[in-house]
Amino acid sequence: MQKAPKVLVVSHNFPPTAGPESSLVKICAEFLHREGMQVRVLTTTPTHAIQAMDKSLLRGLPEQIIVDRVPSPEAVLAEKFPRMGRLAAVGAGRYLLPEIHLPWVLPAFTRALDIVREWKPQVIYSRATKHVSNVVGWRLKRRCGLPWLAHFSDPWISGGLPYGLLPRLIGHFYERRILRDADALVFVTTQAAERVLSHYPEQWCERVQIIPHGYETLGPELDQVRQEPTADRALRVIHAGAFYPGMRSPDTLIEALRRLQQTESLAGRLEITCIGVDTICFQPQIDNAGVGDVLRLRASLPFDECQRRIAASDLTLIIDTPGFGGVFLPTKLIEAFAHNHPVLGLAERNSAVAEVLRGAGLHWADVNDPDMIARRLSALLADWEEGRWGINTAQRQNMDHFQIDRINQPLLKIINSLTDKKFS
């Protein structure tokens, strides 16, 4: 009888590293474990130069999932020389390398070779947004010949993000080889796959599978904090996610609220809270617009607390990153589907975010159009105050499609096919 296949997951992001990709890798590893696979994760130690830690993300991780931790050089440098080491690491990641974590490929690859010799995995499954993970996967493929699945939660060099000349040259070198040599490629949006693969031979597209992010079903403790809709209180809206000044920001939301406030009173009727990295820096803009009684900013919170805030809210707000062809699929959008309340996305018309929301029958507005955002918020306020709040059966069924055990069935098929390839 054939033993359960062994899958080596390579990901620089994994708990207790904070952030959406870390949580995603964990729930995908748990999914593979539930499906009867033996799972081992090669990741970093619980210290980083530029990322926070959140030990709550480790809760519930099955003990059968083996976790190997290899220090990331930029974190070691920053720990040994707290000021100059961090500055040197960040400077190299900004001006010399396509990402700050790229030097991790050296110690991670060395440890991966030991794991291959000792544990004998049948499949390598590497995950990026930390693209060094796929670089490690590529080197393992080249050295060991194991079947390899490369996963892109976000595109890299060919996704259109700004890079200097040297980082772009280095990144293109690796990106091309990852896309060329992987036995299977996963992107989370069609827009990302098309944008990236348009730069490469057409036949490479034959190995691409689109598998969106998935969400994990909420525990009963979060259901208990949910409050029933009532027009006696304000509509509570949460945006949970980092802003990137100059890329993803609340600029048009602030302007929409300013314009809407000129036609109807919002104080006491609408409360929007934005939680995450680089939120507070927009406070002067909010003050100048005179919408501080409606829009509030909060710094990052631990994952568990953030989930409680979302569960206690009435509407999840998602702000997409415009100007990149709609290639991104924010993890927070899919995580919002775990909650039994409506979602509003601010995104470009042809973006992945708008496409997902339209397909689910949920709300969206053009992120570049403050008037459209204002109209959508006004309509949602009217629904709230007139007792038409909630999601219907069709919307719930569409959202349920993204539950991790359902959305990841194609991933399971890919890994099983690669396992069969190894045994054949």
Side-chain angles (χ1 to χ4, degrees), residues 199-213:
H199 299 272
Y200 296 104
E202 186 176 351
Q203 59 267 30
W204 293 5
C205 299
E206 297 172 2
R207 291 176 281 116
V208 171
Q209 177 82 43
I210 307 300
I211 305 176
H213 299 315

Side-chain angles (χ1 to χ4, degrees), residues 286-340:
I286 289 173
D287 295 339
N288 291 336
V291 296
D293 55 348
V294 178
L295 181 57
R296 302 180 177 94
L297 304 177
R298 299 286 183 269
S300 294
L301 293 171
F303 181 81
D304 282 359
E305 176 59 25
C306 192
Q307 289 298 299
R308 281 192 288 271
R309 298 284 185 99
I310 296 171
S313 69
D314 308 301
L315 174 72
T316 299
L317 174 67
I318 305 296
I319 301 178
D320 195 16
T321 307
F324 294 95
V327 299
F328 300 111
L329 185 62
T331 308
K332 293 299 181 184
L333 168 60
I334 307 303
E335 287 179 346
F337 290 175
H339 300 273
N340 205 36

Side-chain angles (χ1 to χ4, degrees), residues 7-12 21 25 42 104 123-140 147-153 178 182 184-186 411 415:
V7 180
L8 175 60
V9 179
V10 181
S11 177
H12 193 280
E21 180 68 13
V25 176
L42 175 61
W104 186 65
V123 176
I124 306 300
Y125 174 28
S126 61
R127 289 192 57 121
T129 52
K130 299 299 185 294
H131 296 279
V132 64
S133 308
N134 282 338
V135 177
V136 175
W138 172 70
R139 292 197 66 185
L140 275 178
W148 168 42
L149 164 60
H151 188 291
F152 288 83
S153 287
I178 291 165
L185 298 162
V186 168
L411 175 67
I415 293 177

Side-chain angles (χ1 to χ4, degrees), residues 190-263:
T190 302
Q191 291 85 345
E194 290 178 349
R195 182 161 188 157
V196 170
L197 271 298
S198 66
H199 299 272
Y200 296 104
E202 186 176 351
Q203 59 267 30
W204 293 5
C205 299
E206 297 172 2
R207 291 176 281 116
V208 171
Q209 177 82 43
I210 307 300
I211 305 176
H213 299 315
Y215 71 83
E216 191 173 32
T217 304
L218 297 178
E221 68 280 0
L222 288 180
D223 286 334
Q224 294 173 3
V225 304
R226 185 172 177 267
Q227 299 185 16
E228 291 301 316
T230 170
D232 296 337
R233 61 173 175 80
L235 173 63
R236 296 171 182 166
V237 182
I238 293 285
H239 176 276
F243 287 133
Y244 304 102
M247 291 178 59
R248 182 166 74 201
S249 74
D251 292 355
T252 52
L253 172 64
I254 295 170
E255 177 60 18
L257 291 171
R258 187 191 70 80
R259 296 183 188 185
L260 183 58
Q261 200 162 246
Q262 292 175 345
T263 61

Side-chain angles (χ1 to χ4, degrees), residues 4 8 11 53 77 117 133 180 191 210 286 353 402 416:
L8 175 60
S11 177
M53 294 290 114
L77 186 64
R117 284 192 292 267
S133 308
R180 180 193 67 191
Q191 291 85 345
I210 307 300
I286 289 173
V353 170
F402 291 88
N416 279 329

